[in-house]
Amino acid sequence: MHGRMMFQPLLISDLLEHAAQYHADTPIYSKNTNGQMYETHWKNIADNAKRGAKAFEALKLGHGDCVATLAWNNHRHLEAWYAISGSGLICHTINPRLFPEQLIFIINDAKDKAILFDKTFLPLINAIKAHIPLVKSFICLDAPDAEIVKALPEVLFYDDLIAAQSAEYTWPEFDENTASSLCYTSGTTGNPKGALYSHRSTVLHSLVASLPDSMNLSAKDIILPVVPMFHVHAWGTPYSAALVGCTVVLPGPGLDGDSLVKLIDDYKVTIALGVPTIWQSLLVAAKQSGTKLESLTRNVIGGSACPPSMLATFRDVYQCETIHAWGMTEASPLGTVNQPKAKHLLLPIEQQHKLRLSQGRPPFGVKLRLVDEENGTNEVAYDGETHGNVQLKGHWIIERYFGKDQSSLTSDGWFDTGDIASLDQDGYLHISDRAKDLIKSGGEWISSVELENIAMGHPEVAMAAAIAATHPKWDERPVLIAVKTPESTLTEEALIQYYNDKIAKWQIPDRVIFVDAIPLSGTGKMLKRKLREDFGDVLLNSAEAI
Ligand code: AMP
């Protein structure tokens, strides 16, 4: 027998409707690409989203079509997001830091029919336009201006499109499992892969991400998502913010420390989210300005491990509670969050501080297991010491990549994250290493395999391994460990130069270290873990690293 309760599909448009109805005048502050601040509120955001939905209909975009966004965190982007997903289209948020070939690949792979873009990305649009034939509409998310029209004559302006529509619109109701948005993530080799989220997965994720033991969000908060909307939906904050009806401060393109400090102080931000690199420059700027960031009660740090010194500085200098979180594109992204339990508050303060450094524990909705690295399904001991591969199951965890016929799960239904960690009896995860062959620099991925392939293309390189070395500013930077061919006179400088024009500049290794031999496993694989042990700290003491 079924329960006798109403059924309502979990739809993204409901999040916005809730905010518009019960938090109508709660402000949204947004920095435009010209640096000017703009103030609106949830009711306006919702009305414009409805206008946007009608405008997309008028452009003949139909249910299930992909519409891309190439934009910073700003109010037009937020409106367009809700307009796209709410009306049954799929919002494909694009990372502008991908290089043009990858952008072309993902736009064609998603079969995007329209692209909404900030003026900043106009040169990028022009550079790739000839290679993305399925895109019929180019919609600029900045105020209309002649310079943009001159550079892209077919451009449409979002402001014009919504001005032509009324806000009389009823969001369509459809199956909650309908696809809502698409984010691509880097593969170890080859092209990026898409994670296709559903309305249901997104709404459930927003609910749990807002809980006291997650971000502890409420209508009293003023939230600053520094993490870009193109990085797994700014970790879901624009959805959670609507769900609780809090104030949102959207930082636009100004992600430098000084701009962020000013936003926090000017708008009395209570919670902000970003990768460690962002916080690093914010701490430098805060120290210089002498601010105490008084409004900031907590910050969420994820995307890479939070350095202990950073957590201590926020706690001791700024009385700001750092919430360390771990997740990934394939997990929408929330996997674990670090919040203490009641019993931990009774521990000596040093032990409490130590506990806060872990990546935290899974919230309801995420199941987590660690399996033996050798034998894929045996669970390891959860003693806080034994390491294993982290695998996930849950309502907002990927089942297969976009456009793929094959499931991405293990034979017994788990998603392998490629991270290596230990887990203690209380469910706290300590990420210790990465099995996937990727380096994460300032929140962006670099494929070590690609760096190695380029090096191996040099006639005087016999073998090469690219590893992630710890870096004080970028968290990780690539370092190449290479073996020269006999008689070679190749220098470090020449090999670094060899990367020019073969890869984006920020992906070129910081150092090349020549060795006589690279350690190999019994099966002939390069022992990267050993190399990381030996060379993982080489950038910490070098002058250019600071
Ligand atoms: P992405 O899909 O780009 O969000 O990257 C997800 C990956 O970033 C994870 O699989 C981890 O390798 C890494 N990561 C995310 N959060 C953390 C964290 N708090 N500590 C260590 N690594 C992290």
Side-chain angles (χ1 to χ4, degrees):
M1 188 190 293
H2 280 163
R4 294 285 184 231
M5 292 292 136
M6 286 186 198
F7 172 78
Q8 287 198 298
L10 299 169
L11 297 179
I12 285 173
S13 54
D14 272 345
L15 297 171
L16 186 62
E17 276 305 292
H18 171 81
Q21 191 164 2
Y22 303 111
H23 305 276
D25 61 353
T26 298
I28 310 291
Y29 302 104
S30 163
K31 191 179 266 186
N32 287 327
T33 50
N34 63 8
Q36 299 284 312
M37 288 305 290
Y38 178 82
E39 180 177 344
T40 177
H41 49 60
W42 277 116
K43 175 76 165 73
N44 264 345
I45 297 281
D47 282 350
N48 283 345
K50 288 177 175 175
R51 293 186 178 100
K54 287 165 79 172
F56 296 145
E57 237 170 65
L59 288 174
K60 304 270 178 290
L61 295 164
H63 191 89
D65 281 345
C66 276
V67 174
T69 66
L70 195 56
W72 302 110
N73 296 5
N74 60 49
H75 68 283
R76 292 188 184 91
H77 194 184
L78 182 64
E79 291 169 6
W81 248 34
Y82 276 105
I84 298 168
S85 301
S87 64
L89 301 164
I90 299 171
C91 183
H92 172 200
T93 50
I94 300 182
N95 181 349
R97 297 189 186 117
L98 296 178
F99 38 90
E101 295 76 43
Q102 288 181 318
L103 288 175
I104 292 167
F105 169 80
I106 64 170
I107 291 169
N108 290 333
D109 190 52
K111 301 189 176 55
D112 291 332
K113 300 277 185 334
I115 295 189
L116 291 92
F117 64 97
D118 278 350
K119 187 177 173 182
T120 325
F121 303 118
L122 187 58
L124 208 47
I125 294 281
N126 266 326
I128 62 174
K129 207 179 67 182
H131 308 283
I132 46 174
L134 297 177
V135 177
K136 300 293 176 234
S137 311
F138 293 90
I139 305 169
C140 182
L141 289 169
D142 268 80
D145 92 43
E147 193 191 322
I148 304 174
V149 179
K150 193 165 162 223
L152 186 70
E154 66 267 55
V155 71
L156 300 170
F157 287 95
Y158 171 81
D159 287 0
D160 293 342
L161 293 180
I162 60 168
Q165 303 291 342
S166 78
E168 288 303 308
Y169 178 78
T170 308
W171 295 108
E173 199 168 285
F174 39 74
D175 181 350
E176 62 184 13
N177 287 308
T178 302
S180 59
S181 57
L182 178 63
C183 279
Y184 280 78
T185 182
S186 301
T188 309
T189 51
N191 286 313
K193 299 177 286 183
L196 185 65
Y197 311 97
S198 71
H199 284 258
R200 175 187 159 82
S201 71
T202 304
V203 174
L204 289 174
H205 180 273
S206 317
L207 275 164
V208 172
S210 310
L211 288 174
D213 269 2
S214 300
M215 286 193 282
N216 190 13
L217 274 192
S218 86
K220 297 191 278 297
D221 273 312
I222 301 172
I223 193 167
L224 171 68
V226 183
V227 52
M229 286 160 74
F230 55 77
H231 265 174
V232 218
H233 305 140
W235 301 345
T237 43
Y239 302 122
S240 293
L243 184 141
V244 301
C246 66
T247 298
V248 187
V249 181
L250 297 164
L255 304 183
D256 58 288
D258 290 328
S259 305
L260 295 174
V261 162
K262 187 161 163 44
L263 283 181
I264 291 173
D265 284 343
D266 286 356
Y267 294 94
K268 309 270 176 285
V269 168
T270 58
I271 174 168
L273 303 90
V275 295
T277 316
I278 288 288
W279 297 111
Q280 187 76 35
S281 53
L282 180 132
L283 284 176
V284 172
K287 192 170 176 194
Q288 269 166 5
S289 80
T291 175
K292 287 286 166 236
L293 302 173
E294 267 163 29
S295 59
L296 198 69
T297 57
R298 59 214 191 278
N299 63 344
V300 181
I301 302 189
S304 289
C306 172
S309 60
M310 186 176 281
L311 196 136
T313 305
F314 274 110
R315 183 186 62 223
D316 300 336
V317 180
Y318 298 100
Q319 282 74 54
C320 170
E321 179 196 14
T322 292
I323 303 168
H324 190 194
W326 167 84
M328 64 194 313
T329 306
E330 289 89 336
S332 301
L334 184 55
T336 57
V337 202
N338 191 316
Q339 291 280 10
K341 302 180 181 179
K343 67 176 180 181
H344 296 134
L345 303 178
L346 305 173
L347 292 173
I349 201 75
E350 293 74 31
Q351 281 187 42
Q352 290 191 37
H353 290 170
K354 189 159 170 257
L355 180 93
R356 298 305 299 261
L357 286 173
S358 106
Q359 275 76 5
R361 55 193 163 83
F364 169 78
V366 174
K367 291 192 177 112
L368 200 150
R369 75 173 184 184
L370 303 190
V371 296
D372 208 299
E373 280 179 71
E374 299 294 314
N375 162 337
T377 51
N378 272 3
E379 280 186 68
V380 304
Y382 297 143
D383 52 10
E385 282 175 13
T386 313
H387 295 255
N389 288 0
V390 183
Q391 300 189 337
L392 297 174
K393 233 184 211 190
H395 304 294
W396 49 85
I397 310 296
I398 197 166
E399 189 270 328
R400 69 188 63 194
Y401 289 97
F402 174 70
K404 301 285 180 244
D405 294 331
Q406 237 185 355
S407 163
S408 292
L409 307 186
T410 62
S411 55
D412 56 348
W414 291 77
F415 177 73
D416 193 292
T417 65
D419 285 326
I420 296 170
S422 64
L423 192 70
D424 67 20
Q425 283 288 309
D426 286 317
Y428 287 77
L429 187 76
H430 295 256
I431 299 280
S432 53
D433 206 348
R434 199 178 286 144
K436 51 196 170 202
D437 235 344
L438 290 164
I439 298 158
K440 203 169 201 188
S441 170
E444 302 287 350
W445 290 114
I446 301 170
S447 159
S448 31
V449 176
E450 217 164 307
L451 297 182
E452 288 156 12
N453 287 346
I454 292 173
M456 295 294 285
H458 192 289
E460 293 179 43
V461 173
M463 193 184 267
I467 58 160
T470 311
H471 190 283
K473 177 163 182 207
W474 302 110
D475 305 324
E476 293 175 9
R477 288 292 303 154
V479 164
L480 191 82
I481 315 297
V483 181
K484 291 192 243 189
T485 52
E487 323 283 306
S488 162
T489 53
L490 186 61
T491 62
E492 173 174 12
E493 202 180 20
L495 188 48
I496 288 178
Q497 267 181 17
Y498 183 70
Y499 279 93
N500 283 341
D501 304 325
K502 297 191 174 67
I503 202 158
K505 259 206 165 62
W506 61 272
Q507 303 194 325
I508 296 177
D510 280 17
R511 292 268 335 254
V512 170
I513 295 169
F514 291 112
V515 291
D516 291 339
I518 287 177
L520 299 178
S521 73
T523 55
K525 277 193 189 172
M526 296 191 284
L527 283 176
K528 290 217 177 160
R529 199 189 285 208
K530 172 84 175 81
L531 290 174
R532 280 195 291 269
E533 272 167 31
D534 292 350
F535 301 106
D537 288 343
V538 289
L539 300 179
L540 285 180
N541 301 320
S542 66
E544 79 263 32
I546 314 294

